[in-house]
Structure formats: structure tokens, C-alpha cells
Amino acid sequence: MTGIIYGTGACTPSYIMDNNDIAKLVETSDEWIQERTGVARRHIITEETTVSMAVQAGRRALENAGVSPEEVDLILVATISSNVILPCTACQVQKELGAIHATCFDLGGAACTGFVLAYNTATAYLAGGVYKTALVIGSESLSNLTNWKDRGTCILFGDGAGAAVVKAGGERYYLPVTHSEGSKGDALTCKSRYQGNGLTSEINLEEMIDDEHFMQMDGQAVFKFAVKKVPEVIREVLEANEIEQEDVDYYILHQANQRIVEAVAKRLKEPIEKFPMNLQEYGNTSSASIPILLDELNRKGILKSGQKIVMAGFGAGLTWGASILKWK
Ligand code: UT7
């Protein structure tokens, strides 16, 4: 027995910044950003927070699944951009949803691999019989961690949340495959943080002079890591579960960069049509990118019963991993 996704939900801020808006902050252009990343727009919080987006995405996922908040016995939130350090985002989601029977905790620091790791944690608990109904969420206000003066990073990121209701059931447990390489951690760091982003909140950008308060990234190192490790881990997870590539319907990759997704498809010799993308609209939303995309595909009716999906995340740590799921 393992977990089955019964429903999905998402929430993205209504305020949209396109590439021309970014070009007013740093020396760049719509053409450069689209060519190098595929990103055209990103949604940025104004009134929304990591908690409020997680609550909204979670509520929509429960409605979509036809599951009441009282039925949920596990809430996991993957985030690197919680509103506050304590209490954790998952407990705040529990409070807002009234999921009074749930055990709640965050997976902090798992970054762009966060949703895959949270999903794996939930399915392991479900397979072990510890819990029966899990709400798994990725929610991020990355705009609060972004240096809006650094064109090497600020072009990439956006805010949003995605969620999935996972219930015990299904005929088999798909083993996930995950890896970490702490020795390469310097490639993507954030040593401290502000609350607020200086764009849509009160913080004064001119006073935000210490780079350590923001994400710092060796873009090329992360790019090379992703295009090498993601195809490898996808092959590993398929082999571990004795599934052939031709039996996979969709690969839902963390939405970091269109060129990364295309390179992974090419290395796996798979058609790009098997790699849905929505990074054009949202940019890189870290732990939220996979469940936001999953929700989009679910609501558009693109996912059909019995289809096999591989999810793959990669990011800071460095961490990466892949999981297989069969659509309900
Ligand atoms: O969730 C995981 C998180 N991270 C990622 O997935 C990021 C992975 N890396 C990337 O996506 C890419 O490395 C970037 C999009 C960040 C950068 O693209 P790139 O093709 O690796 O560019 P580059 O850093 O090699 O820079 C090429 C040139 C440089 O100019 P010179 O030295 O050739 O004259 C940069 O200064 O482009 C310049 N450049 C820019 N120009 C216009 C760098 N950023 C910009 C920019 N606008 N925003």
C-alpha cells in the first residue's frame, strides 16, 4: 500500500511582474530573460504570505479531493520562506483550516527539492500505516529572499503555493530515490533574511546592502548540476521500480529554467511534450513549483486515471530526487 493523490490545489499572488518590470530594476531585457530561462512573468506577494497561500492551496486541494479538514491526520509544508520561525507554517495552516486531528511540521531548507521530499515523507508514513490522510504543501515567498539588485538571480524567482491531498491506498509502493551533496552547498546559499521584499512591502531596498540577507547563487554550477543529476536520478528511480521510460506519461520537473527541462528531456531521449512547463508564468517558485504544475494539469483534465508520473526536484543543499506516482 502507498499513497494516492486525491486532489490538488494552488494559490499564486495576483500581482504580476513581467520581464520589463525587472528591466527597470537591473540591467537586463525581456529578450535575454526569455532566451536564457523561458520565464516571462512571475507572481509576487502583496497582501499574501507564505501561510496565507499555503492555506488557500490546502483548502482548494481538500475541496478538490472531497476530504474534510477533520479527516487530515498529517500536514507537511515544505518552505524556505516561512512568515515566522515559530510556529511552523504547517501548524498555522492547521489552525486556519481547522484540521484539528493533524500532526503538523515543516520541511525547512529542502528548497527546490522540498515538495518531492515532503511527498516521499508522507507516502512513507502512509505506507507504514502511521497516518491515513496527508496534506502536502509547498509554499514560498521567494521575493523576500531575492536580491532585487542582482540580475543573476532576481530574474528567476516568484512566489506561490501548491498542495496535494495524499491518502493511503493503491496497489504498490513506489520507492523514491533521493540524494544530497553537502560539499557543493556553496553553490546556492542564503545566510540570513529580511521579512519583506522591498518591492511590494515597506522595506527600503536602498538600505538592503548586505548580500548575505539574500539568496546567492553560482548559476552555472547549479545549471550543470541539474542537467547532469536530474536525468541520472530519473533513470535510477525507474530502475528501482522496474518501470520503463516508455511507460512514463509525464515528467513533472521543478520549474527552474526551460533550458534545464529541455536538456533533461534530451538526455533521456524523451519528447519534450512529456515535460509540461508553466515557468513562463510563475518563474521558479522553489518547493511550490511542482504542486502548482500538478494542480494545473489536474484541473485542465490532462492527467488521466492510471497514468504514471515522475516528479523530480533539485536545488540548494545540494539536494535532488525523483518519485513516481500513479494518477488516481
Ligand atoms: O532551483 C534551482 C535554482 N537555480 C537554478 O536553476 C539556476 C540555474 N542557472 C541558470 O538558470 C542560469 O545559469 C542563469 C539563468 C542564472 C544564467 O544564465 P547563463 O546562461 O548561465 O548566463 P551566465 O551567468 O553565463 O552569463 C552570461 C552573460 C554574462 O555576461 P558576459 O560575462 O558574457 O559579458 C552575464 O554578465 O550574461 C550576463 N548576464 C545577464 N545579462 C542580461 C547575467 N545575467 C543577466 C541578465 N540580463 N539578467
Side-chain angles (χ1 to χ4, degrees):
M1 190 173 66
T2 182
I4 295 178
I5 294 185
Y6 271 66
T8 60
C11 173
T12 51
S14 50
Y15 177 66
I16 295 172
M17 274 178 93
D18 66 18
N19 291 342
N20 292 320
D21 295 322
I22 302 277
K24 290 175 196 151
L25 301 172
V26 291
E27 205 182 318
T28 189
S29 65
D30 176 45
E31 193 189 0
W32 194 95
I33 300 172
Q34 295 227 35
E35 199 181 292
R36 299 289 178 120
T37 72
V39 178
R41 286 170 294 280
R42 70 283 296 143
H43 295 229
I44 302 291
I45 52 167
T46 50
E47 299 303 314
E48 303 90 346
T49 66
T50 297
V51 170
S52 75
M53 293 188 292
V55 168
Q56 190 66 272
R59 188 173 283 130
R60 288 174 181 159
L62 289 173
E63 282 165 10
N64 186 241
V67 166
S68 73
E70 293 80 9
E71 280 176 74
V72 176
D73 50 13
L74 176 67
I75 299 178
L76 296 180
V77 178
T79 184
I80 53 167
S81 49
S82 58
N83 291 13
V84 291
I85 294 168
L86 298 171
C88 70
T89 302
C91 279
Q92 296 178 77
V93 169
Q94 175 196 34
K95 177 179 139 195
E96 296 302 322
L97 293 179
I100 50 173
H101 301 300
T103 294
C104 309
F105 59 93
D106 289 0
L107 283 90
C112 306
T113 318
F115 185 79
V116 169
L117 292 174
Y119 174 81
N120 294 347
T121 306
T123 51
Y125 272 128
L126 297 173
V130 182
Y131 303 111
K132 290 192 174 63
T133 306
L135 178 58
V136 185
I137 302 173
S139 185
E140 303 287 6
S141 304
L142 293 186
S143 62
N144 289 351
L145 311 184
T146 299
N147 183 347
W148 292 99
K149 291 178 173 179
D150 173 17
R151 69 177 183 172
T153 53
C154 76
I155 55 164
L156 294 170
F157 300 111
D159 302 332
V165 174
V166 192
K167 285 182 78 165
E171 70 273 16
R172 67 174 283 201
Y173 179 70
Y174 295 105
L175 267 180
V177 177
T178 54
H179 298 287
S180 302
E181 200 169 353
S183 60
K184 300 239 169 83
D186 285 347
L188 183 42
T189 61
C190 185
K191 295 184 179 159
S192 179
R193 58 171 292 197
Y194 288 100
Q195 291 286 351
N197 57 30
L199 297 171
T200 55
S201 64
E202 301 260 309
I203 293 221
N204 184 349
L205 263 183
E206 294 310 314
E207 288 171 5
M208 297 166 90
I209 45 166
D210 187 349
D211 287 348
E212 295 204 339
H213 287 296
F214 308 105
M215 288 185 281
Q216 294 182 287
M217 182 178 70
D218 178 344
Q220 286 190 10
V222 177
F223 192 96
K224 282 183 196 152
F225 144 74
V227 299
K228 183 169 186 297
K229 297 296 186 184
V230 176
E232 274 178 21
V233 80
I234 288 174
R235 286 202 183 97
E236 280 179 82
V237 82
L238 292 176
E239 200 179 310
N241 292 283
E242 295 178 335
I243 291 173
E244 303 297 325
Q245 269 184 220
E246 64 209 39
D247 296 326
V248 176
D249 294 285
Y250 293 109
Y251 297 90
I252 301 189
L253 268 49
H254 164 51
Q255 301 288 289
N257 184 321
Q258 184 170 328
R259 283 161 56 218
I260 292 177
V261 179
E262 288 168 353
V264 171
K266 200 168 162 197
R267 286 193 183 205
L268 289 172
K269 298 191 176 63
E270 285 278 35
I272 194 68
E273 290 71 28
K274 283 171 93 170
F275 294 75
M277 281 184 256
N278 65 2
L279 57 87
Q280 297 81 354
E281 180 63 30
Y282 302 111
N284 176 346
T285 56
S286 193
S287 69
S289 80
I290 289 176
I292 291 174
L293 181 54
L294 201 56
D295 182 58
E296 199 170 302
L297 299 172
N298 178 24
R299 288 185 191 255
K300 284 183 177 162
I302 291 169
L303 303 178
K304 308 284 181 226
S305 179
Q307 284 183 332
K308 286 201 184 71
I309 296 164
V310 173
M311 299 190 290
F314 52 93
L318 298 173
T319 59
W320 66 104
S323 309
I324 298 171
L325 67 94
K326 197 169 165 186
W327 196 245
K328 58 183 164 152

